């Protein structure tokens, strides 16, 4: 069995959780490699909703090893809460957390809140940016630091001092609180790189679970309206220690339309009533923050760009059923920027506002497709829409999701 990465091709919330959940059954290890509890992967099983922020969503299957790699920022309070909730549901966890995960500290959350007042990125306010800022500034604190109370305490004290926050936070209180969490999670903590290396040697199969999406990537996204990690394929190497040559397949997950939550460029945004009706039909509210997501038409230049960055080998289209009621569907096929035509996001862009989407109109199918199980039974217009995406990207479509339940999937052969 070859290893697989599942990557979001838009601004996150593409429905990766559902696709991961469907495919996880065939893999031995499910691995998160970046981000933190800014992510929210929603999975419905028998009408029950599970939302995962840190634990890989593949954990709903028995006997899977779920791994939180070193690239993930961990808020131990959230992690513990998630572990306890799953255990209450009777789910046996086979969880492995890297010693090298950076810790989200209470002051990171406070700094995120304060920065948002002026910077207005529309972050999830979970402390993600400030945590990764400390990582890069070489003053971050990792899980392994909690193995030694004195080392941990000194680092907390130093951070509060450097940030002039000593009057707001009590280091002893933070240390006691975090060590109490550590005590409850320590059995899960290990060298996840060695664990995965061993899995590869034993020819076990690995599924790498991306959080967020390519257009939120710190290097390749719509900077500065991005998250602080690499949700793209390159993040797997740095976030797990597994060399890229072990990732044979890369599925790109894209919604049949576009959404984004938070501030930032969104060339195909629909601002009027139609945007709102897509939001209601698609239940487009953030799984982490509950914020309403901005909705828009499919943006092929952005997705084409995302596919190239990640070396996508096949595509899963989600939420096709949300378009059921539309008589016509617009798709942005190219961008016009200062009179020049582009087929993907150009790097020389100075202002995202300069993008003029060029649209093509496609007929809708105006019927409920939620119960269709075979590709050939989809209405002609829906098949045309899927074929149009395949042709525009020159990448095969492997799966189309037409509803929130595990069985509402259509394999495309
Ligand atoms: P942060 O990751 O909390 O710093 O937020 C930075 C940007 O990424 C904001 O626009 C967030 O709304 C967005 N973002 C972060 N995580 C997710 C996610 O899981 N889905 C969608 N957007 C996200």
């Amino acid at each position: 069995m070859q290893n697989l990465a599942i990557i979001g091709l838009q601004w996150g919330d593409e429905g990766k959780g559902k696709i991961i959940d469907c495919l996880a059954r065939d893999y031995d290890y499910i691995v998160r490699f970046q981000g933190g509890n800014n992510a929210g992967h929603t999975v419905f099983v028998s009408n029950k909703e599970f939302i995962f922020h840190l634990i890989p969503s593949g954990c709903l299957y028995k006997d899977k090893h779920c791994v939180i790699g070193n690239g993930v920022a961990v808020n131990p309070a959230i992690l513990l809460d998630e572990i306890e909730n799953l255990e209450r549901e009777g789910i046996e966890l086979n969880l492995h957390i890297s010693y090298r995960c950076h810790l989200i500290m209470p002051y990171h959350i406070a700094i995120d809140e304060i920065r948002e007042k002026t910077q207005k990125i529309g972050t999830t306010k979970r402390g993600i940016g400030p945590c990764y800022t400390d990582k890069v500034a070489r003053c971050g604190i990792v899980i392994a630091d909690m193995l030694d109370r004195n080392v941990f305490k000194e680092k907390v004290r130093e951070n509060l001092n450097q940030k002039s926050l000593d009057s707001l936070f009590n280091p002893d209180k933070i240390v006691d609180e975090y060590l109490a969490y550590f005590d409850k999670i320590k059995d899960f903590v290990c060298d996840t790189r060695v664990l995965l290396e061993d899995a590869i040697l034993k020819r076990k199969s690995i599924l790498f679970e991306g959080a967020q999406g390519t257009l939120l990537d710190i290097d390749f996204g719509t900077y500065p309206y991005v998250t602080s990690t690499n949700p793209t394929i390159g993040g797997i190497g740095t976030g797990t220690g597994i060399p890229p040559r072990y990732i044979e397949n890369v599925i790109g997950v894209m919604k049949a339309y576009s959404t984004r939550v938070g501030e930032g460029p969104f060339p195909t945004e629909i601002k009027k009533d139609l945007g709102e009706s897509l939001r209601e039909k698609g239940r487009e509210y953030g799984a982490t923050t509950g914020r309403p997501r901005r909705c828009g038409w499919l943006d092929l230049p952005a997705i084409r760009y995302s596919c190239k960055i990640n070396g996508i080998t096949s595509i899963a289209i989600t939420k096709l059923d949300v378009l059921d009621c539309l008589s016509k569907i617009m798709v942005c096929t190219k961008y016009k920027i200062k009179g020049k035509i582009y087929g993907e996001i150009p790097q020389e862009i100075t202002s995202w506002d300069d993008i003029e989407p060029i649209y093509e109109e496609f007929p809708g199918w105006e019927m409920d497709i939620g119960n269709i199980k075979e590709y050939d039974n989809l209405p002609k217009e829906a098949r045309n829409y899927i074929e149009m995406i395949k042709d525009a990207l020159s990448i095969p479509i492997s799966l189309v999701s037409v509803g929130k339940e595990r069985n509402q999937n259509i394999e495309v052969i």
Side-chain angles (χ1 to χ4, degrees):
M1 183 87 178
Q2 295 185 318
N3 298 328
L4 169 70
I6 297 189
I7 304 280
L9 297 178
Q10 294 155 309
W11 284 279
D13 307 319
E14 296 92 351
K16 294 181 293 297
K18 177 180 167 180
I19 303 298
I20 292 160
D21 175 65
C22 292
L23 299 178
R25 111 171 51 102
D26 298 330
Y27 291 82
D28 303 307
Y29 287 71
I30 324 289
V31 184
R32 273 277 311 262
F33 56 92
Q34 47 70 232
N37 62 308
N38 48 350
H41 289 166
T42 311
V43 180
F44 285 88
V45 183
S46 310
N47 253 323
K48 192 165 172 48
E49 186 183 46
F50 292 87
I51 300 180
F52 300 94
H53 299 293
L54 274 168
I55 295 183
S57 37
C59 72
L60 292 178
Y61 291 99
K62 257 191 164 178
D63 306 328
K64 303 290 168 196
H65 291 273
C66 289
V67 180
I68 297 182
N70 58 279
V72 177
V74 169
N75 178 330
I78 303 291
L79 177 62
L80 190 59
D81 197 43
E82 207 157 290
I83 292 171
E84 289 175 349
N85 281 341
L86 286 167
E87 284 177 349
R88 258 196 299 278
E89 292 291 338
I91 292 159
E92 273 174 46
L93 280 176
N94 213 347
L95 182 64
H96 314 274
I97 307 162
S98 168
Y99 279 121
R100 307 313 300 175
C101 289
H102 277 252
L103 286 170
I104 297 185
M105 306 300 289
Y107 47 83
H108 291 141
I109 299 166
I111 295 169
D112 204 357
E113 292 253 356
I114 292 163
R115 272 198 201 144
E116 263 305 284
K117 292 203 169 98
T118 50
Q119 211 181 7
K120 297 206 186 319
I121 299 293
T123 74
T124 58
K125 296 188 186 165
R126 299 299 192 261
I128 303 295
C131 175
Y132 285 107
T133 302
D134 278 1
K135 175 175 178 173
V136 177
R138 295 165 290 195
C139 61
I141 306 179
V142 298
I143 289 185
D145 291 326
M146 292 194 289
L147 289 168
D148 184 322
R149 187 183 176 94
N150 291 334
V151 168
F152 184 47
K153 191 169 165 181
E154 193 42 40
K155 291 199 174 186
V156 173
R157 212 200 293 272
E158 234 173 73
N159 265 281
L160 290 174
N161 187 265
Q162 272 174 10
K163 294 173 175 54
S164 307
L165 289 172
D166 350 40
S167 60
L168 287 179
F169 292 94
N170 176 340
D172 291 308
K173 200 167 157 249
I174 294 180
V175 168
D176 287 345
E177 185 190 333
Y178 272 55
L179 289 183
Y181 296 136
F182 183 59
D183 200 44
K184 293 189 177 156
I185 61 169
K186 64 177 189 290
D187 291 345
F188 297 117
V189 178
C190 68
D191 185 337
T192 51
R193 190 201 65 75
V194 169
L195 180 90
L196 292 172
E197 181 190 40
D198 193 49
I200 288 172
L201 288 173
K202 290 186 176 131
R203 300 202 178 283
K204 300 284 179 194
S205 56
I206 305 177
L207 188 161
F208 296 96
E209 160 173 343
Q212 290 87 43
T214 301
L215 303 175
L216 287 174
D217 186 276
I218 185 81
D219 285 283
F220 294 106
T222 49
Y223 192 88
Y225 299 95
V226 292
T227 190
S228 304
T229 59
N230 292 113
T232 45
I233 193 83
I236 297 178
T238 52
T240 64
I242 294 305
R245 71 187 170 102
Y246 292 114
I247 309 158
E248 290 93 355
N249 295 313
V250 190
I251 294 186
V253 184
M254 56 174 275
K255 236 179 247 189
Y257 50 98
S258 306
T259 62
R260 108 165 269 173
V261 60
E263 304 300 318
F266 188 179
T268 61
E269 182 167 15
I270 310 170
K271 291 222 165 94
K272 304 209 183 82
D273 296 353
L274 185 55
E276 267 171 42
S277 73
L278 275 183
R279 179 181 307 137
E280 292 315 312
K281 177 102 204 290
R283 299 171 315 279
E284 295 295 356
Y285 293 88
T288 299
T289 58
R291 290 180 292 174
R293 297 177 186 143
R294 297 153 66 193
C295 296
W297 300 115
L298 188 60
D299 182 340
L300 286 176
I303 292 178
R304 198 176 281 122
Y305 165 86
S306 298
C307 287
K308 291 183 183 178
I309 285 167
N310 293 296
I312 298 298
T313 54
S314 76
I315 286 189
I317 301 175
T318 61
K319 293 191 152 185
L320 189 67
D321 57 302
V322 174
L323 304 180
D324 276 0
C325 50
L326 300 179
S327 58
K328 61 177 186 187
I329 304 169
M330 307 301 282
V331 174
C332 168
T333 52
K334 290 195 173 71
Y335 289 164
K336 191 171 175 186
I337 304 172
K338 295 181 180 164
K340 231 174 125 182
I341 304 294
Y342 293 86
E344 56 185 77
I345 299 178
Q347 297 290 285
E348 66 269 31
I349 202 152
T350 48
S351 166
W352 297 102
D353 294 339
D354 292 341
I355 295 179
E356 283 175 57
I358 299 179
Y359 288 107
E360 276 182 42
E361 187 182 309
F362 292 85
W365 40 95
E366 295 182 272
M367 64 172 275
D368 180 356
I369 58 170
N371 292 319
I372 295 178
K373 304 276 178 260
E374 304 289 333
Y375 183 72
D376 290 341
N377 294 340
L378 279 172
K380 176 172 95 295
E381 294 80 5
R383 279 184 279 127
N384 285 346
Y385 193 72
I386 295 166
E387 297 285 328
M388 174 275 295
I389 295 171
K390 184 182 89 180
D391 292 344
L393 304 173
S394 307
I395 296 175
I397 314 284
S398 50
L399 198 82
V400 177
S401 153
V402 292
K404 60 186 187 177
E405 285 287 340
R406 254 182 191 170
N407 62 0
Q408 288 180 293
N409 289 328
I410 300 172
E411 274 185 46
V412 186
I413 300 156

